[in-house]
Amino acid sequence: MFTPRKTAAAVLCLALAATASFAANPDVGGAPMFTDKNIVENAVNSADHTTLVAAVQAAGLVDALMSAGPFTVFAPVNDAFAALPAGTVDTLLQPENKGQLTKILTAHVIAGDLSAQALKTKAANSADGFAHVETLSGDALSAQVRGNNIFIFDENGNAAKITIADVKQSNGVIHVVDKVLLPK
């Protein structure tokens, strides 16, 4: 028998379930991303980030990216690494180039948890239309909003488009990007 009280409770449960499904993290690289897992634990499941994961391991940054953070990571996809000049990734993964690899990878990481909306707000409130941030490597990145898209510029003026924003992690947030950002 349906009573108004039971019907209202059922509607509330359905509404909460619908809200929870909208708040869920997007899948990345065909894998679910879990808010209770850290950046590394989620990244290893993304088929689109195998090169990034290998690079993080080669640079010895796994423990750092598993720490409490919070961090904002602009995570290049495999195709972004493949677009670098031939042999670049293989060269960077060699032990003697660990310092250079570490600098490049940490030029994709910001201390703190910056959402796409925070980047948009910073850009909108700046005199030049860019949100300027410093990376863990000490290099500069700038975010600019163009239409519905956010582009991240490295110090060389190269732009990476955020293709998947606000992938929440237990220790920060990932924004998937389509290019590798290179420090000077």
Side-chain angles (χ1 to χ4, degrees):
M1 168 182 228
F2 288 103
T3 65
R5 187 174 194 185
K6 286 183 181 176
T7 304
V11 169
L12 179 61
C13 286
L14 287 174
L16 289 173
T19 301
S21 68
F22 286 118
N25 259 347
D27 285 0
V28 175
M33 299 287 113
F34 300 100
T35 59
D36 63 342
K37 291 189 177 189
N38 65 49
I39 291 165
V40 174
E41 291 169 332
N42 275 320
V44 298
N45 294 317
S46 169
D48 291 342
H49 290 92
T50 57
T51 305
L52 178 60
V53 169
V56 166
Q57 291 169 337
L61 295 173
V62 171
D63 289 342
L65 291 174
M66 290 180 77
S67 70
F71 302 108
T72 299
V73 176
F74 299 102
V77 293
N78 293 339
D79 287 344
F81 284 100
L84 294 172
T88 300
V89 173
D90 290 335
T91 299
L92 287 170
L93 292 175
Q94 294 174 3
E96 62 268 20
N97 297 317
K98 182 178 178 180
Q100 185 179 10
L101 178 61
T102 300
K103 177 143 174 85
I104 290 169
L105 292 175
T106 56
H108 289 79
V109 183
I110 299 167
D113 189 340
L114 281 174
S115 68
Q117 186 57 52
L119 288 169
K120 288 178 181 180
T121 300
K122 271 183 93 142
N125 292 330
S126 73
D128 63 359
F130 286 88
H132 300 284
V133 294
E134 184 177 331
T135 67
L136 293 185
S137 66
D139 297 288
L141 294 178
S142 300
Q144 183 184 47
V145 180
R146 294 182 182 172
N148 292 326
N149 298 307
I150 301 173
F151 290 86
I152 307 299
F153 290 83
D154 63 22
E155 293 176 328
N156 301 298
N158 300 311
K161 179 180 167 184
I162 294 179
T163 58
I164 303 174
D166 297 329
V167 185
K168 306 235 183 316
Q169 316 289 301
S170 66
N171 62 342
V173 64
I174 290 176
H175 302 292
V176 177
V177 294
D178 65 353
K179 300 274 189 288
V180 176
L181 302 162
L182 298 171
K184 279 193 174 183

